[in-house]
Amino acid sequence: MIYGIGTDLCQVERMEKSLTRDSFVRHVFAPEEQALLQSHTGKARAETAAANFAAKEAFLKACGTGLAGFALAEICVLRRQSGAPFYQLSGKAEEWATENHITAHLSLTHEAGLACAFAVLERTEGESL
């Protein structure tokens, strides 16, 4: 059963500027994401960061909390070996997902200077909302 959906856009150019501030990177991105970003250079790094940022906001929207509820670094966005993106939650975000029997699904894309994320939260237990 679908619990919630969320989508978000992020300008790659804006993210490129934000990545110059270490405090921003540490506040927004989990250590695993920081390593992912370091594996890219130039435009690819900014596109990946923008997509991850959009994914975090899409997740929060799907939760129904808006831009509050969990620390952004608790909503980690990584890539499988195939390149497919996935959420790795920690802290309060992980606790909330576990308590609510939530599985999070994610799709990312970027083009023409924008990164887009689409999140679907699925309730995996038969409990009613």
Side-chain angles (χ1 to χ4, degrees), residues 84-122:
F86 67 96
Y87 288 109
Q88 180 176 288
L89 306 175
S90 64
K92 290 181 182 179
E94 181 181 25
E95 290 172 17
W96 177 85
T98 300
E99 288 171 8
N100 288 285
H101 308 284
I102 297 294
T103 299
H105 306 278
L106 175 62
S107 181
L108 302 174
T109 190
H110 46 77
E111 185 164 334
L114 292 172
C116 177
F118 189 80
V120 176
L121 302 187
E122 176 186 12

Coordinates of all heavy atoms in Angstrom, one line a residue, residues 84-122:
A84 N 21.5 2.2 -9.8 CA 20.2 2.5 -9.3 C 20.3 3.2 -7.9 O 21.1 2.7 -7.1 CB 19.4 1.2 -9.2
P85 N 19.6 4.2 -7.7 CA 19.7 4.9 -6.4 C 18.8 4.2 -5.3 O 17.8 3.6 -5.7 CB 19.1 6.3 -6.7 CG 18.1 6.1 -7.8 CD 18.7 4.9 -8.6
F86 N 19.2 4.4 -4.1 CA 18.4 3.9 -3.0 C 18.7 4.7 -1.7 O 19.7 5.4 -1.6 CB 18.7 2.4 -2.7 CG 20.1 2.1 -2.2 CD1 20.3 2.0 -0.8 CD2 21.2 2.0 -3.0 CE1 21.6 1.7 -0.3 CE2 22.5 1.8 -2.5 CZ 22.7 1.6 -1.2
Y87 N 17.7 4.6 -0.8 CA 17.8 5.3 0.4 C 18.4 4.4 1.5 O 18.1 3.2 1.5 CB 16.4 5.7 1.0 CG 15.7 6.8 0.3 CD1 14.6 6.6 -0.6 CD2 16.2 8.1 0.4 CE1 14.0 7.6 -1.2 CE2 15.5 9.2 -0.2 CZ 14.4 8.9 -1.0 OH 13.8 10.0 -1.7
Q88 N 19.3 5.0 2.3 CA 19.9 4.3 3.4 C 19.6 5.2 4.6 O 20.2 6.2 4.8 CB 21.4 4.1 3.3 CG 22.0 3.4 4.5 CD 23.5 3.1 4.2 OE1 23.8 2.2 3.4 NE2 24.4 3.8 4.8
L89 N 18.6 4.8 5.4 CA 18.2 5.7 6.5 C 18.9 5.4 7.8 O 19.4 4.3 8.0 CB 16.7 5.5 6.7 CG 15.8 5.7 5.5 CD1 14.4 5.4 5.8 CD2 16.0 7.1 5.0
S90 N 19.1 6.4 8.7 CA 19.7 6.2 10.0 C 19.0 7.1 11.0 O 18.1 7.9 10.6 CB 21.2 6.6 9.9 OG 21.4 7.9 9.6
G91 N 19.3 7.0 12.2 CA 18.7 7.9 13.3 C 17.2 7.9 13.3 O 16.6 6.8 13.2
K92 N 16.6 9.0 13.5 CA 15.2 9.2 13.6 C 14.5 8.8 12.3 O 13.3 8.2 12.4 CB 14.8 10.6 14.0 CG 15.2 11.0 15.4 CD 14.8 12.4 15.7 CE 15.2 12.8 17.1 NZ 14.9 14.2 17.4
A93 N 15.1 9.0 11.2 CA 14.5 8.6 9.9 C 14.3 7.1 9.9 O 13.3 6.5 9.5 CB 15.3 9.1 8.7
E94 N 15.4 6.4 10.3 CA 15.3 4.9 10.3 C 14.3 4.4 11.3 O 13.5 3.5 11.0 CB 16.7 4.3 10.6 CG 16.7 2.8 10.6 CD 18.1 2.2 10.9 OE1 18.9 2.9 11.6 OE2 18.3 1.1 10.5
E95 N 14.3 5.0 12.5 CA 13.3 4.6 13.5 C 11.9 4.8 13.0 O 11.0 3.9 13.2 CB 13.5 5.4 14.8 CG 14.8 5.1 15.5 CD 15.0 6.1 16.7 OE1 14.1 6.8 17.1 OE2 16.2 6.1 17.1
W96 N 11.6 5.9 12.4 CA 10.3 6.2 11.9 C 9.9 5.2 10.8 O 8.7 4.7 10.8 CB 10.2 7.7 11.3 CG 8.9 8.0 10.7 CD1 7.8 8.4 11.3 CD2 8.5 7.8 9.3 NE1 6.7 8.6 10.4 CE2 7.2 8.2 9.2 CE3 9.2 7.4 8.2 CZ2 6.5 8.2 8.0 CZ3 8.5 7.4 7.0 CH2 7.2 7.8 6.9
A97 N 10.8 4.9 9.9 CA 10.5 4.0 8.8 C 10.2 2.6 9.3 O 9.3 1.9 8.9 CB 11.6 4.0 7.8
T98 N 11.0 2.2 10.3 CA 10.8 0.8 10.9 C 9.5 0.8 11.7 O 8.7 -0.2 11.5 CB 12.0 0.5 11.9 OG1 13.2 0.5 11.1 CG2 11.8 -0.8 12.5
E99 N 9.2 1.8 12.5 CA 7.9 1.8 13.3 C 6.7 1.8 12.4 O 5.7 1.2 12.7 CB 7.9 3.0 14.2 CG 8.8 3.0 15.3 CD 8.9 4.3 16.1 OE1 8.2 5.2 15.8 OE2 9.8 4.4 17.0
N100 N 6.8 2.4 11.2 CA 5.7 2.6 10.3 C 5.7 1.5 9.2 O 4.9 1.6 8.2 CB 5.6 4.0 9.7 CG 5.2 5.0 10.8 OD1 4.0 5.0 11.1 ND2 6.1 5.7 11.3
H101 N 6.6 0.6 9.2 CA 6.7 -0.5 8.2 C 6.9 0.1 6.8 O 6.1 -0.3 5.9 CB 5.5 -1.4 8.3 CG 5.3 -1.9 9.7 ND1 6.1 -2.9 10.3 CD2 4.4 -1.6 10.7 CE1 5.7 -3.2 11.5 NE2 4.7 -2.4 11.8
I102 N 7.8 1.0 6.6 CA 7.9 1.8 5.4 C 9.1 1.2 4.6 O 10.2 1.1 5.2 CB 8.1 3.3 5.6 CG1 6.8 3.9 6.3 CG2 8.5 4.0 4.4 CD1 5.6 3.9 5.5
T103 N 8.9 1.0 3.3 CA 10.0 0.7 2.4 C 10.0 1.9 1.4 O 8.9 2.3 0.9 CB 9.8 -0.6 1.6 OG1 9.7 -1.6 2.5 CG2 10.8 -0.8 0.6
A104 N 11.1 2.5 1.2 CA 11.2 3.7 0.3 C 11.8 3.3 -1.0 O 12.8 2.6 -1.1 CB 12.1 4.7 1.0
H105 N 11.2 3.8 -2.1 CA 11.6 3.6 -3.4 C 12.0 5.0 -4.0 O 11.4 6.0 -3.7 CB 10.5 3.0 -4.3 CG 10.0 1.7 -3.7 ND1 10.6 0.5 -3.8 CD2 8.9 1.5 -2.9 CE1 9.9 -0.4 -3.2 NE2 8.9 0.1 -2.6
L106 N 13.0 5.0 -4.9 CA 13.5 6.3 -5.4 C 13.9 6.2 -6.9 O 14.4 5.2 -7.4 CB 14.8 6.6 -4.6 CG 15.6 7.8 -5.0 CD1 14.7 9.1 -4.9 CD2 16.8 7.9 -4.1
S107 N 13.6 7.3 -7.6 CA 14.0 7.5 -9.0 C 14.6 8.8 -9.1 O 14.1 9.8 -8.5 CB 12.8 7.3 -10.0 OG 13.3 7.5 -11.3
L108 N 15.8 8.9 -9.8 CA 16.5 10.2 -10.0 C 16.7 10.5 -11.4 O 16.9 9.5 -12.2 CB 17.8 10.2 -9.3 CG 17.8 9.9 -7.8 CD1 19.3 9.8 -7.3 CD2 17.1 11.0 -7.0
T109 N 16.8 11.7 -11.8 CA 17.2 12.1 -13.2 C 17.7 13.5 -13.1 O 17.4 14.3 -12.2 CB 16.0 12.0 -14.2 OG1 16.5 12.1 -15.5 CG2 14.9 13.0 -13.9
H110 N 18.5 13.9 -14.1 CA 19.0 15.2 -14.3 C 19.2 15.6 -15.7 O 19.6 14.7 -16.5 CB 20.3 15.5 -13.5 CG 21.3 14.5 -13.6 ND1 22.1 14.4 -14.7 CD2 21.7 13.5 -12.8 CE1 23.0 13.4 -14.5 NE2 22.7 12.8 -13.4
E111 N 18.8 16.8 -16.1 CA 18.9 17.3 -17.4 C 18.7 18.8 -17.4 O 18.0 19.3 -16.6 CB 17.9 16.6 -18.3 CG 18.1 17.0 -19.8 CD 17.4 16.1 -20.8 OE1 17.2 15.0 -20.5 OE2 17.1 16.7 -21.9
A112 N 19.4 19.5 -18.3 CA 19.2 20.9 -18.6 C 19.4 21.7 -17.3 O 18.7 22.7 -17.0 CB 17.8 21.2 -19.2
G113 N 20.4 21.3 -16.5 CA 20.7 22.1 -15.2 C 19.8 21.8 -14.1 O 19.9 22.5 -13.0
L114 N 18.9 20.8 -14.2 CA 18.0 20.5 -13.0 C 18.2 19.0 -12.7 O 18.4 18.2 -13.6 CB 16.6 20.7 -13.4 CG 16.1 22.2 -13.6 CD1 14.7 22.2 -14.1 CD2 16.2 22.9 -12.3
A115 N 18.1 18.7 -11.4 CA 18.0 17.3 -10.9 C 16.6 17.1 -10.3 O 16.1 18.0 -9.6 CB 19.1 17.1 -9.9
C116 N 16.0 16.0 -10.6 CA 14.7 15.6 -10.1 C 14.7 14.3 -9.4 O 15.4 13.4 -9.8 CB 13.7 15.6 -11.3 SG 12.1 15.1 -10.9
A117 N 14.0 14.3 -8.3 CA 13.8 13.0 -7.5 C 12.3 12.7 -7.4 O 11.5 13.7 -7.2 CB 14.5 13.2 -6.2
F118 N 12.0 11.5 -7.4 CA 10.7 11.0 -7.1 C 10.7 9.9 -6.1 O 11.4 8.9 -6.4 CB 10.0 10.5 -8.4 CG 8.5 10.2 -8.3 CD1 7.6 11.3 -8.3 CD2 8.1 9.0 -8.1 CE1 6.3 11.0 -8.2 CE2 6.7 8.7 -8.0 CZ 5.8 9.7 -8.0
A119 N 10.1 10.0 -5.0 CA 10.1 9.0 -3.9 C 8.7 8.5 -3.7 O 7.7 9.2 -3.8 CB 10.5 9.7 -2.6
V120 N 8.6 7.2 -3.5 CA 7.4 6.5 -3.2 C 7.7 5.7 -1.9 O 8.6 4.9 -1.8 CB 7.0 5.5 -4.3 CG1 5.7 4.7 -3.9 CG2 6.7 6.2 -5.6
L121 N 6.8 5.9 -0.9 CA 6.9 5.2 0.4 C 5.8 4.2 0.4 O 4.7 4.5 0.2 CB 6.8 6.2 1.6 CG 7.8 7.3 1.6 CD1 7.7 8.0 2.9 CD2 9.3 6.8 1.4
E122 N 6.2 2.9 0.6 CA 5.3 1.8 0.6 C 5.2 1.3 2.0 O 6.2 1.0 2.7 CB 5.8 0.8 -0.3 CG 5.0 -0.5 -0.3 CD 5.7 -1.6 -1.2 OE1 6.9 -1.4 -1.6 OE2 5.0 -2.6 -1.4

